[in-house]
Amino acid sequence: MAKFIGDLPEGIVTEILFRVPVKSLLQCKSVCKLWLSIISDPYIIKSHLHRAISASINNPSALNIEYSPPDEDDQDFIASTQSILSTLVECTAEVQLRRRRPCQPVKGGCLSNVNRQDFSSSPVHFNHLLMPHLFYYSRVISSYNGIICLADYFGRAVYLWNPSIRHFKKLPSVQPYATRSMPVKIGFGYDSISDGYKVFRIVYENIFDVVPIVQVYSTSADIWREFRAPILKNWKIYKQTSIVVNGVMYFDGGDELISFDLHKEVFGLVSFPSFIQRKGSDVLDFEGFVAMVFESVDYGPGLDLWTLDDVSGEMSWTKRFSVEVDSDTNIWLYCYLGAGLFYGRKLMNGNVFLYDCDEKKETKYFELGEETSSLTLKYIETLVSLDGFEQVE
């Protein structure tokens, strides 16, 4: 019988480490060379990722990111940045929140278990992150497999960052094109076929352009390539939030849903239902289906969740269930966390809440204090690393 874990066979040690949380695994790297080798093995990293994804289905987790304030010397830059932002047609919800709410000094840039009373009784596991100052002027685009994509307001500086292991990579410079009067759409996702991550920018060469330029970065090639997208002719406004389902990214184009096949790098358009009176959510990944919440004129008052389904080769919208909230309460759902839980906001008072579609009720409120500037996103902790990653200071 083994008296010490070091006496156990390597296979058993591997099985044990396979089930250890990321934070503990990083500490285990210092135990011995064997453990360092096991934890750094690409197979173990991928297996740990798949286990984390599977676990998040019934035990969802989210990340609350709090922004540290800039130095006093940066106030002129902030004023300039906000002036530029005011000319944009659209700002993301995260940027709007940061501009509304000042924040108190905070330091650091690593994940920690959130210890705030607001989250203590939540059915969702919340982690808390203090944003490194390096990313203060960046907005969060999206997160996949523990990698968070960030970009400045015009998408000229783009970063890929895994806060769980505190490593990041700044992507190569790209031809900016964008002007102050035109927004830049940025998307980020994982291409499972090529086993790589891709970032794209939709930009215009000048304010008179009608056909945008699409610039695509792949971690596999570590370069940007660009092409014209005639299918997006005359599109000027794109919602920043996007999801990836079965290797295809979807985002709200205003009048239509826009798709982008991450492997083939081809765009498509999907019509919204004709009966929409208003939208009640971002584009959602609901249990592997593209979904949105609509208020319709044909199905009575209230909000319903609809999924986009492939019926005999034709894409169509199917009503799944009603979102039951107070009739006098306007809400917006940002994302589906898993286990029947959605994360959303009450539009009247700005408070965020969790909605349980299985129980048909709101399960938890989180009042937003004036002292913080933060955003929340669906997130899983992973060991995923990319070529060119370096330590976040």
Side-chain angles (χ1 to χ4, degrees), residues 84 87-89 153-154 156 176-184 201 203-208:
I84 293 172
T87 67
L88 289 173
V89 178
Y153 298 122
F154 293 106
R156 298 174 183 177
Y177 289 123
T179 65
R180 289 189 176 188
S181 60
M182 305 185 73
V184 176
R201 300 171 78 243
V203 296
Y204 292 87
E205 194 166 1
N206 56 66
I207 60 176
F208 304 107

Side-chain angles (χ1 to χ4, degrees), residues 108-122:
C110 59
L111 287 173
S112 62
N113 291 326
V114 66
N115 57 6
R116 302 188 174 194
Q117 186 174 359
D118 278 347
F119 299 104
S120 60
S121 61
S122 169

Side-chain angles (χ1 to χ4, degrees), residues 40-216:
S40 303
D41 186 291
Y43 171 78
I44 297 300
I45 293 174
K46 184 163 291 188
S47 298
H48 193 277
L49 167 64
H50 291 159
R51 183 179 179 85
I53 293 174
S54 297
S56 68
I57 295 175
N58 295 317
N59 298 283
S61 59
L63 177 62
N64 180 256
I65 302 178
E66 192 168 313
Y67 283 81
S68 62
D71 299 330
E72 292 182 2
D73 294 340
D74 291 337
Q75 293 301 323
D76 290 341
F77 181 85
I78 293 174
S80 174
T81 300
Q82 291 187 337
S83 175
I84 293 172
L85 281 174
S86 66
T87 67
L88 289 173
V89 178
E90 177 202 12
C91 293
T92 63
E94 293 85 9
V95 172
Q96 292 172 348
L97 178 60
R98 287 173 59 190
R99 292 174 65 191
R100 285 201 307 268
R101 302 181 184 278
C103 61
Q104 297 296 325
V106 291
K107 295 181 179 180
C110 59
L111 287 173
S112 62
N113 291 326
V114 66
N115 57 6
R116 302 188 174 194
Q117 186 174 359
D118 278 347
F119 299 104
S120 60
S121 61
S122 169
V124 176
H125 176 71
F126 279 91
N127 268 319
H128 180 61
L129 170 67
L130 304 180
M131 184 69 89
H133 193 267
L134 172 67
F135 305 130
Y136 182 83
Y137 301 112
S138 301
R139 64 175 188 237
V140 171
I141 304 302
S142 59
S143 169
Y144 290 95
N145 297 344
I147 303 291
I148 296 177
C149 178
L150 309 100
D152 64 13
Y153 298 122
F154 293 106
R156 298 174 183 177
V158 184
Y159 304 91
L160 298 181
W161 171 45
N162 186 340
S164 300
I165 60 175
R166 300 187 67 181
H167 281 74
F168 82 103
K169 175 180 182 175
K170 184 177 181 180
L171 302 192
S173 300
V174 61
Q175 177 68 30
Y177 289 123
T179 65
R180 289 189 176 188
S181 60
M182 305 185 73
V184 176
K185 166 63 185 176
I186 299 179
F188 168 67
Y190 174 68
D191 174 15
S192 60
I193 297 178
S194 63
D195 191 24
Y197 297 85
K198 290 187 177 180
V199 178
F200 73 76
R201 300 171 78 243
I202 301 177
V203 296
Y204 292 87
E205 194 166 1
N206 56 66
I207 60 176
F208 304 107
D209 254 1
V210 294
V211 177
I213 295 173
V214 179
Q215 300 168 311
V216 181

